[in-house]
């Protein structure tokens, strides 16, 4: 989601501050590199509010490339590498920074037919990585078209979902997930009414979205002011929901739990909030999230932030949070 310029002055007052005493690493000098900010964070007080999660990694990603940043979705491929989608429909491929060995990252800008008629780029907000093929479903705001790409970003299909046109062009399908039972769920970033700051629309598809399909609907109730920005499926089928709120004091984020059995046509779904991210050292506009299974039997939640083209104020942060699924 692109924040309007009206928010710029307010954002100046709340720029996130993370100590920079860290090592920078790169595999392509001048293109993409990272800064490990976790050692500096460990020197300060513990980060409160994370509930069952523990911060175990934090990196700031950098690039001089024009299409870099503004990441609104995050996914994990079968080989363990990550994919991030920006709201300019550029794709970032990167290896996990928590693993030994050289770190690799490269980005590619997606051209037409994703471009919206009124812009020079798309507005990619949601990403589904298909099992067995690693094909990518790119879901943009402001268009009813969903494109499928191969892992090498060759277009192999298009799905036209007219119902997506019911949502605001700049507050449309912000979060989506493929459920364990085969259904696909999408969440609206915008509010369903001008008189509420809690209710958001949701679509349910019987499987992967199909051209001409009319999805079933449900209502998502978030804490006041929070908007859904990402969904990620746990190994047991439950969903983690990422939410974000903008205030004059800075961004606030939450992670909540959703039982997929509650997602039914006509239902009202109220997530169970597990954690808040409010510490000024790590808070930012987190819009991407994915889950990995770790070798020790625990799981990890990865979050990536949307820098909103304001790199002097906001950063592209990648966080790793460890947790035990059986304890939530």
């Amino acid at each position: 989601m692109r924040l309007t310029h009206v928010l710029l002055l307010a954002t100046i007052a709340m720029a996130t501050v993370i100590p920079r005493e860290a090592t920078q690493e790169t595999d392509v000098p001048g293109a993409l590199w990272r800064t490990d900010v976790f050692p500096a964070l460990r020197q300060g007080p513990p980060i409160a509010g994370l509930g069952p999660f523990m911060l175990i990694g934090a990196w700031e990603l950098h690039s001089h490339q024009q299409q870099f940043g503004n990441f609104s979705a995050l996914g994990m491929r079968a080989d363990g590498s990550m994919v991030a989608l920006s709201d300019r429909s550029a794709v970032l491929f990167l290896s996990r920074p928590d693993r030994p060995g050289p770190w690799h990252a490269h980005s590619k800008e997606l051209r037409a037919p994703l471009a919206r008629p009124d812009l020079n780029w798309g507005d990619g907000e949601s990403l589904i990585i298909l099992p067995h093929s690693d094909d990518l479903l790119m879901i943009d705001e402001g268009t009813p078209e969903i494109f499928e790409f191969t892992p090498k970003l060759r277009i192999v299909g298009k799905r036209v979902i007219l119902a997506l046109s019911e949502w605001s062009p700049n507050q449309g399908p912000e979060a989506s997930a493929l459920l364990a039972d085969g259904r696909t769920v999408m969440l609206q970033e915008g509010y369903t009414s001008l008189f509420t700051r809690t209710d958001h629309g949701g679509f349910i598809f019987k499987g992967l979205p199909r051209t001409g399909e009319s999805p079933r609907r449900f209502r998502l109730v978030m804490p006041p002011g929070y908007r859904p920005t990402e969904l990620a499926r746990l190994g047991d089928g439950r969903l983690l929901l990422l939410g974000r709120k903008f205030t004059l004091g800075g961004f606030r984020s939450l992670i909540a739990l959703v039982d997929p059995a509650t997602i039914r046509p006509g239902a009202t779904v109220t997530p169970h909030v597990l954690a808040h991210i409010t510490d000024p050292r790590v808070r930012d506009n987190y819009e991407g999230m994915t889950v990995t299974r770790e070798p020790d039997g625990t799981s990890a939640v990865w979050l990536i932030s949307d820098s909103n083209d304001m790199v002097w104020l906001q950063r592209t942060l990648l966080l790793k949070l460890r947790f035990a699924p059986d304890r939530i």
Side-chain angles (χ1 to χ4, degrees):
M1 187 273 294
R2 297 190 186 93
L3 297 180
T4 65
H5 292 127
V6 176
L7 298 179
L8 178 56
L9 293 178
T11 308
I12 291 175
M14 61 80 192
T16 299
V17 177
I18 291 183
R20 290 184 177 273
E21 294 82 355
T23 301
Q24 294 191 8
E25 304 173 64
T26 179
D27 65 325
V28 183
L32 291 160
W33 69 98
R34 63 179 179 176
T35 300
D36 186 353
V37 299
F38 187 63
L41 289 170
R42 294 184 65 179
Q43 295 176 10
I47 295 175
L50 296 182
F53 305 98
M54 176 184 295
L55 182 68
I56 60 172
W59 300 266
E60 182 180 348
L61 308 183
H62 319 259
S63 178
H64 297 308
Q65 298 176 356
Q66 183 178 5
Q67 73 268 25
F68 179 81
N70 310 313
F71 296 112
S72 298
L74 184 66
M76 191 73 62
R77 299 199 288 184
D79 64 1
S81 62
M82 294 182 173
V83 182
L85 174 67
S86 83
D87 61 16
R88 291 193 172 187
S89 289
V91 179
L92 173 67
F93 298 97
L94 65 157
S95 56
R96 285 177 51 163
D98 62 333
R99 290 182 172 176
W103 181 72
H104 302 283
H106 69 279
S107 63
K108 183 174 181 180
E109 189 172 2
L110 298 176
R111 301 290 183 177
L114 275 180
R116 282 166 44 180
D118 58 328
L119 297 174
N120 294 322
W121 54 81
D123 191 359
E125 295 289 350
S126 188
L127 167 71
I128 294 177
I129 300 180
L130 302 185
H132 310 303
S133 69
D134 267 354
D135 279 3
L136 311 174
L137 285 188
M138 306 291 194
I139 304 170
D140 277 28
E141 287 183 328
T143 174
E145 298 175 326
I146 299 173
F147 286 89
E148 180 177 346
F149 292 83
T150 68
K152 294 185 177 181
L153 302 184
R154 180 174 62 87
I155 295 176
V156 292
K158 180 177 76 170
R159 306 153 195 259
V160 180
I161 309 299
L162 295 180
L164 290 175
S165 299
E166 300 173 11
W167 290 346
S168 168
N170 195 39
Q171 297 184 355
E174 186 78 15
S176 61
L178 182 62
L179 304 186
D181 60 11
R183 295 179 298 163
T184 299
V185 172
M186 293 183 189
L187 299 177
Q188 176 189 19
E189 179 189 10
Y191 301 120
T192 57
S193 169
L194 296 176
F195 305 102
T196 176
R197 297 177 67 248
T198 60
D199 292 10
H200 304 264
F203 287 162
I204 306 170
F205 299 86
K206 295 179 181 179
L208 291 174
R210 297 177 301 168
T211 292
E213 182 177 0
S214 296
R216 307 299 294 273
R217 301 158 194 269
F218 69 98
R219 182 167 63 105
L220 176 75
V221 178
M222 297 285 288
Y226 280 92
R227 301 174 184 266
T229 60
E230 186 76 293
L231 285 168
R233 197 176 86 200
L234 299 174
D236 60 10
R238 292 179 298 171
L239 296 174
L240 289 181
L241 170 65
L242 179 63
R244 180 257 290 117
K245 177 170 69 172
F246 178 80
T247 74
L248 295 181
F251 287 101
R252 303 291 188 268
S253 299
L254 63 77
I255 301 174
L257 188 67
V258 178
D259 181 354
T262 64
I263 302 177
R264 303 184 303 272
T268 296
V269 176
T270 303
H272 172 59
V273 176
L274 300 172
H276 289 89
I277 302 174
T278 60
D279 191 302
R281 293 172 293 168
V282 294
R283 69 186 182 209
D284 212 298
N285 182 29
Y286 293 104
E287 293 197 10
M289 176 175 65
T290 192
V291 175
T292 58
R293 181 74 172 175
E294 300 300 290
D296 62 0
T298 63
S299 294
V301 175
W302 296 80
L303 306 178
I304 195 168
S305 63
D306 179 347
S307 59
N308 289 311
D309 277 334
M310 293 187 284
V311 294
W312 66 96
L313 295 172
Q314 294 176 237
R315 304 180 183 185
T316 298
L317 299 176
L318 182 67
L319 303 184
K320 181 182 180 183
L321 307 172
R322 183 174 61 199
F323 72 104
D326 60 351
R327 296 182 182 178
I328 63 174

